[in-house]
C-alpha cells in the first residue's frame, strides 16, 4: 500500500473541473511532499481541456484517465467500479476528492469497496507517517474534529476555507490512460428525469442577498429579491424559509444547501446558525441586518445594521438605485 | 415488505450552537467529548424524517413492517419516540458512546439486517447532525450490495421498484432502482408527524429489543474504528463587526452603500 497520492475528479461541473480543485491540489501537494511520493490526478470520464495546465501548475506527476463509453454519464455504480479498478492497479495511499454533491456518495462507497477509511468535510490534512490526520467540521461548523486513519484513506475535502497556491516549480505531467474493465458492471440506478439547471447558479454568484425567518412572512421575500436585482446579484435563503416554501431549494445556503463564495453576502433576518454560516463564510464581505444586536451572525459579519430588515432592505434598494 | 430505518441519537445541534455562540461549550478531559448534560439528546432530525417517509408508504396502502434500529449507548427514549410515531419493531444495538466509527456502525447495521433475513428497503437520514459525515448509508450499501439513492425529498414504492426524487444542486432529479435498496432522506421531505398522546403513552412502557455484537456474530476486531476521532474543539470565528449607525433605516442604508462602494465591493 501507499504509493502516490491521488486527486480524483469526475464531477464534470460546468467548466469541466470541480470548483475548488486547485485548493484541494494545494493541500494534496503538502501531503505528497511530506510523504515523498508523487501527486497524481485521476480523471474519470472525459478529460476537461484545462486539466493538464492546472496539473502542471501544481506539480502533478501523472494525469491518469479512465475513459470508457460507459462513463459518459456520471452514474455511481460505474464510477465506483472505475475508481476501485484504479485503486487495485495503483494502490494509492490517499485518494482525495473535492466534496461535490456526487462525491458525498462516491467517496464512502469507494472506501467501503476497497477497504479504506473515509472522512468527509475535511478542511485540513496532515501526514502522520503513512497514515493521515484529517480535520473536519462537525456540528455544521461549530466544532472541528481531528480523525486519525492509520492505513489507506479516501477523503472528501471542502475547498472553501482553503486557498489555492501553485507549486514553487511547475511540472510536465505525464498522461497515462488507465484501462479498467467495466464490461460486467451495470448501473443499478436509472435516471427517469434529469435535473435541469436553469439560469445562473448561486455557487457562482458574486453578490448574494439572503433572507431568513426574520422576514416574517413569505411575501417579504420579495424585498430580498428586489435588492438582489438592484445589486445585479442573486437571492439566497436560510433553510427554514425554504422548508416553508417561501422560495425553492436552489436558493438555500448552508451545510445542506449551497456553499457560496461571493464578493458580497448580505444576510437579512438570519440568525447565523453554524449550519447556515458554512455556506457563506467564504464571502469576501459579509453584511448582516438583524434586530437582535447579540445575534450570532454579527460575529461573522464585517458590517452590521441593527434594525428591522423590512425597513432596511427597501432602504438599501433605494440607496443602490438612487446612486 | 420489510423496511428497516436506521436512526441515531445526537446532541441537540441548536443547543450546541447556542453554547458555542456564548463561548460556553464544554469539552471533556479526553479532549473530544462534549460533556454538558444539559444538552438534550434527540433523534437526529433527518432520521425522524426517514421514519416519516416510511409512514407515508403505509398511509398510501403499502403493507409493510417498519423496523427501527439504533446503534448507540442508550437510545431507549428515541426508540420509544419511533414506536409512538408508528414503528412496529424497535431494536437497539448497544455500544459505548464514541467507541465506534461510521465503518463499524455500517458493519453492525449490515449484520443486523442480515440477522433479520434482509430488508426490502433501508431508509436513513442523509447525515447525522453531530458529525455531519453522512457515510454510513453508503458503507452499508457496499456491505449489503444494495444501490444507495441519496438526498430524497420524495420516495415512492411501485411494486419492487423504488422511485426517488433527489434534491441535487441542479434541481430535482428522479431516479429509480430495484429493491432491495437504501434511500437517504433530506429535510425537503417535510415535517415528520407528531405522535398522538395515546401512542406516546403506550410507547412509554415499551422496551426495545436488544441485539448485541455477539448475537450478530461480530468480534471486537470487526468493530474497531478505522477512523479514530482524537480531538474536538470549537472553531474560531473572527468577530470584528463594524456597526453602521443612523437615525433612520434610510441613513443606515446610505451609509452602508457608500462604504461598500468606497471599498469597491459593489459598483
Ligand atoms: C443538520 C442540519 C443542517 C442544516 N442545514 C442548514 C442549511 O443548509 N442552511 C440553513 O440556513 N440552515 C440549516 N440548518 C438550520 C439552522 O440550524 C438554523 O435553524 C437556520 O439557519 C435558522 O434560520 P434563520 O436564521 O432564518 O432563522 P432564525 O434562527 O429563526 O433567525 C431569525 C433571525 O431573524 C432576526 N429577526 C427577527 N425579526 C427581524 C426583523 N424584522 N428584521 C431583522 N431581523 C429580524 C432574529 O433576531 C433572528 O436572529 C440546519 C440544521 C441542521 C441541524
Amino acid at each position: 500500500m501507499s504509493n502516490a497520492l491521488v486527486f480524483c475528479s469526475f464531477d464534470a461541473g460546468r467548466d469541466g473541473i470541480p470548483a475548488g480543485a486547485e485548493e484541494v491540489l494545494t493541500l494534496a501537494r503538502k501531503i505528497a511532499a511530506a510523504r515523498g511520493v508523487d501527486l497524481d490526478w485521476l480523471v474519470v470520464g472525459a478529460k476537461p481541456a484545462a486539466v493538464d495546465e492546472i496539473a502542471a501548475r501544481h506539480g502533478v506527476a501523472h494525469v491518469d484517465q479512465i475513459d470508457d463509453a460507459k462513463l459518459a454519464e456520471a452514474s455511481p455504480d460505474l464510477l465506483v467500479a472505475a475508481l476501485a479498478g484504479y485503486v487495485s492497479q495503483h494502490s494509492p495511499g490517499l485518494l482525495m476528492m473535492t466534496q461535490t454533491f456526487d462525491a458525498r456518495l462516491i467517496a464512502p462507497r469507494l472506501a467501503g469497496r476497497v477497504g479504506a477509511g473515509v472522512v468527509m468535510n475535511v478542511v485540513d490534512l496532515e501526514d502522520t507517517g503513512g497514515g493521515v490526520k484529517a480535520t473536519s467540521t462537525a456540528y455544521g461548523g461549530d466544532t472541528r474534529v481531528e480523525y486519525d486513519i492509520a492505513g489507506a484513506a479516501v477523503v472528501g475535502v471542502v475547498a472553501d476555507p482553503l486557498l489555492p497556491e501553485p507549486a514553487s516549480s511547475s511540472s510536465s505531467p505525464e498522461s497515462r490512460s488507465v484501462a479498467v474493465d467495466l464490461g460486467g458492471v451495470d448501473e443499478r440506478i436509472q435516471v427517469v428525469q434529469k435535473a435541469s439547471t436553469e439560469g445562473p447558479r448561486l455557487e457562482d454568484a458574486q453578490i448574494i442577498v439572503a433572507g431568513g425567518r426574520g422576514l416574517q412572512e413569505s411575501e417579504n421575500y420579495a424585498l430580498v429579491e428586489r435588492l438582489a436585482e438592484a445589486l445585479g446579484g442573486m437571492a439566497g435563503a436560510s433553510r427554514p424559509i425554504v422548508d416553508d416554501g417561501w422560495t425553492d431549494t436552489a436558493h438555500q445556503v448552508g451545510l445542506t444547501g449551497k456553499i457560496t463564495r461571493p464578493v458580497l453576502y448580505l444576510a437579512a433576518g438570519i440568525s447565523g446558525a453554524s449550519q447556515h454560516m458554512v455556506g457563506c463564510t467564504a464571502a469576501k464581505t459579509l453584511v448582516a441586518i438583524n434586530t437582535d444586536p447579540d445575534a450570532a451572525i454579527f460575529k461573522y459579519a464585517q458590517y452590521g445594521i441593527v434594525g428591522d430588515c423590512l425597513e432596511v432592505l427597501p432602504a438599501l434598494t433605494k440607496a443602490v438605485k438612487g446612486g | 415488505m420489510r423496511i428497516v430505518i436506521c436512526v441515531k441519537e445526537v446532541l441537540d445541534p441548536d443547543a450546541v450552537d447556542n453554547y458555542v455562540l456564548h463561548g460556553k461549550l464544554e469539552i471533556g478531559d479526553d479532549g473530544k467529548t462534549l460533556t454538558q448534560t444539559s444538552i438534550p439528546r434527540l433523534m437526529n432530525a433527518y432520521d425522524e424524517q426517514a421514519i416519516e417517509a416510511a409512514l407515508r408508504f403505509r398511509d398510501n396502502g403499502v403493507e409493510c413492517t417498519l423496523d427501527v434500529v439504533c446503534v448507540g449507548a442508550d437510545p431507549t427514549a428515541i426508540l420509544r419516540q419511533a414506536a409512538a410515531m408508528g414503528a412496529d419493531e424497535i431494536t437497539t444495538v448497544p455500544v459505548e458512546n464514541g467507541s465506534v466509527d461510521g465503518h463499524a456502525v455500517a458493519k453492525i447495521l449490515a449484520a443486523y439486517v442480515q440477522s433479520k433475513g434482509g430488508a426490502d428497503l433501508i431508509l436513513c437520514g442523509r447525515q447525522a447532525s453531530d458529525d455531519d459525515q453522512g457515510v454510513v448509508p453508503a458503507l452499508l450499501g457496499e456491505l449489503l450490495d444494495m444501490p444507495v439513492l441519496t438526498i430524497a425529498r420524495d420516495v415512492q414504492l411501485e411494486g419492487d421498484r423504488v422511485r426517488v426524487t433527489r434534491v441535487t444542486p441542479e434541481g430535482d432529479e428522479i431516479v429509480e432502482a430495484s429493491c432491495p435498496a437504501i434511500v437517504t432522506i433530506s429535510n425537503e421531505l417535510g415535517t415528520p408527524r407528531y405522535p398522538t398522546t395515546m401512542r406516546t403513552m403506550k410507547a412509554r412502557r415499551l422496551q426495545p429489543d436488544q441485539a448485541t455484537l455477539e448475537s450478530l456474530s461480530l468480534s471486537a476486531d470487526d468493530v474497531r474504528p478505522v477512523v479514530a476521532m482524537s480531538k474536538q474543539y470549537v472553531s474560531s470565528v473572527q468577530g470584528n463587526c463594524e456597526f453602521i449607525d443612523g437615525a433612520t433605516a434610510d441613513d443606515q442604508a446610505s451609509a452602508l452603500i457608500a462604504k461598500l462602494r468606497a471599498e469597491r465591493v459593489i459598483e
Side-chain angles (χ1 to χ4, degrees):
Chain A
M1 187 50 67
S2 181
N3 291 318
L5 192 150
V6 174
F7 169 65
C8 141
S9 66
F10 48 82
D11 179 303
R14 268 208 181 163
D15 56 357
I17 293 172
E22 293 207 55
E23 286 84 341
V24 181
L25 283 165
T26 305
L27 183 57
R29 209 172 58 234
K30 179 179 96 172
I31 309 299
R35 291 187 177 179
V37 298
D38 281 348
L39 167 59
D40 295 340
W41 182 343
L42 167 64
V43 179
V44 185
K47 186 163 100 180
V51 166
D52 290 316
E53 184 208 318
I54 296 174
R57 212 184 304 149
H58 288 275
V60 168
H62 305 95
V63 173
D64 294 338
Q65 186 190 11
I66 306 173
D67 205 5
D68 187 301
K70 279 184 142 180
L71 291 166
E73 302 285 327
S75 63
D77 283 321
L78 290 159
L79 274 173
V80 173
L83 286 162
Y86 179 89
V87 170
S88 67
Q89 291 174 35
H90 292 250
S91 5
L94 178 63
L95 209 141
M96 299 172 63
M97 301 180 190
T98 314
Q99 189 168 307
T100 57
F101 180 79
D102 290 322
R104 251 340 210 130
L105 171 67
I106 302 302
R109 278 194 53 186
L110 174 65
R113 184 82 51 100
V114 303
V118 63
V119 183
M120 304 305 288
N121 298 320
V122 169
V123 291
D124 197 14
L125 282 172
E126 241 172 83
D127 177 54
T128 52
V132 75
K133 183 189 284 297
T135 305
S136 293
T137 60
Y139 288 100
D142 271 332
T143 68
R144 292 205 164 177
V145 174
E146 290 178 3
Y147 296 105
D148 287 308
I149 310 170
V154 179
V155 299
V157 181
V158 182
D160 302 83
L162 306 175
L163 290 173
E165 197 184 299
S168 48
S169 58
S170 63
S171 59
S172 347
E174 180 194 334
S175 292
R176 297 187 299 200
S177 169
V178 178
V180 174
D181 183 10
L182 297 173
V185 186
D186 285 320
E187 182 55 56
R188 290 171 294 183
I189 299 178
Q190 286 83 46
V191 178
V192 179
Q193 191 184 306
K194 278 193 178 172
S196 58
T197 335
E198 278 159 27
R201 308 187 310 164
L202 210 56
E203 296 94 313
D204 306 325
Q206 293 298 299
I207 294 180
I208 295 172
V209 181
R213 209 141 49 178
L215 289 167
Q216 284 155 41
E217 278 176 50
S218 163
E219 300 81 72
N220 294 333
Y221 191 68
L223 302 177
V224 167
E225 292 173 322
R226 260 177 240 145
L227 178 58
E229 200 194 329
L231 287 167
M234 293 182 69
S238 70
R239 190 174 87 178
I241 73 166
V242 171
D243 283 347
D244 286 349
W246 298 9
T247 181
D248 61 278
T249 321
H251 296 274
Q252 183 184 319
V253 174
L255 181 67
T256 48
K258 303 292 165 78
I259 306 289
T260 68
R261 44 191 329 167
V263 175
L264 172 65
Y265 191 89
L266 196 149
I270 291 177
S271 58
S274 58
Q275 293 89 356
H276 183 81
M277 297 318 292
V278 283
C280 61
T281 39
K284 289 224 173 63
T285 302
L286 205 146
V287 178
I289 306 168
N290 201 302
T291 41
D292 176 5
D294 295 325
I297 189 122
F298 290 127
K299 296 218 164 168
Y300 301 86
Q302 275 88 58
Y303 295 114
I305 292 183
V306 178
D308 184 347
C309 61
L310 303 183
E311 289 173 20
V312 179
L313 284 169
L316 284 168
T317 308
K318 202 167 86 186
V320 171
K321 285 190 172 156
Chain B
M1 176 160 237
R2 181 170 195 87
I3 302 177
V4 173
I5 305 139
C6 309
V7 303
K8 183 180 185 182
E9 190 188 55
V10 294
L11 296 179
D12 178 356
D14 291 338
V16 171
D17 198 38
N18 215 17
Y19 277 116
V20 167
L21 171 62
H22 294 98
K24 296 221 164 86
L25 189 72
E26 285 166 17
I27 290 167
D29 292 337
D30 65 356
K32 57 184 180 185
T33 308
L34 307 189
T35 46
Q36 274 145 322
T37 47
S38 50
I39 302 176
R41 307 186 75 89
L42 307 174
M43 189 188 316
N44 178 40
Y46 296 116
D47 303 343
E48 247 183 283
Q49 282 162 313
I51 297 178
E52 172 63 27
L55 291 169
R56 289 184 195 173
F57 297 141
R58 185 175 281 163
D59 295 345
N60 293 333
V62 176
E63 266 189 49
C64 48
T65 307
L66 306 186
D67 174 358
V68 175
V69 56
C70 179
V71 179
D74 179 24
T76 304
I78 66 162
L79 286 172
R80 284 182 180 149
Q81 178 192 348
M85 285 176 79
D88 303 301
E89 296 169 20
I90 49 174
T91 306
T92 126
V93 189
V95 294
E96 261 175 62
N97 268 334
S99 66
V100 288
D101 66 350
H103 294 271
V105 171
K107 275 189 200 155
I108 295 169
L109 289 171
Y112 172 75
V113 170
Q114 278 159 344
S115 77
K116 290 281 176 169
D120 299 294
L121 189 68
I122 299 176
L123 299 177
C124 305
R126 61 179 282 175
Q127 66 198 66
S129 59
D130 49 4
D131 62 25
D132 292 327
Q133 286 289 310
V135 298
V136 169
L139 292 168
L140 187 57
E142 287 300 314
L143 291 167
L144 294 173
D145 198 18
M146 292 185 191
V148 185
L149 300 85
T150 56
I151 324 276
R153 74 151 78 235
D154 184 60
V155 193
Q156 300 290 334
L157 283 167
E158 282 154 31
D160 71 338
R161 304 274 292 167
V162 61
R163 175 186 277 242
V164 167
T165 307
R166 302 176 72 207
V167 186
T168 83
E170 271 73 46
D172 285 356
E173 175 190 78
I174 302 176
V175 292
E176 262 187 28
S178 290
C179 292
I182 299 176
V183 178
T184 78
I185 305 295
S186 190
N187 54 288
E188 286 82 1
L189 184 102
T191 315
R193 69 198 57 191
Y194 201 74
T196 60
T197 318
M198 214 172 75
R199 294 200 64 119
T200 306
M201 298 283 282
K202 239 176 94 189
R204 213 176 271 171
R205 284 188 299 272
L206 285 180
Q207 274 310 325
D209 293 337
Q210 229 188 61
T212 61
L213 297 185
E214 268 158 34
S215 76
L216 298 174
S217 310
L218 291 168
S219 68
D221 252 357
D222 289 331
V223 297
R224 188 153 294 139
V226 181
V227 173
M229 178 175 173
S230 51
K231 195 173 166 187
Q232 178 162 223
Y233 54 93
V234 174
S235 311
S236 61
V237 174
Q238 78 289 24
N240 235 334
C241 185
E242 178 184 332
F243 286 98
I244 312 282
D245 293 325
T248 64
D250 279 329
D251 291 348
Q252 289 173 315
S254 318
L256 175 65
I257 296 300
K259 265 192 194 295
L260 296 177
R261 285 202 171 121
E263 289 179 12
R264 305 195 170 278
V265 176
I266 59 172
E267 285 172 14

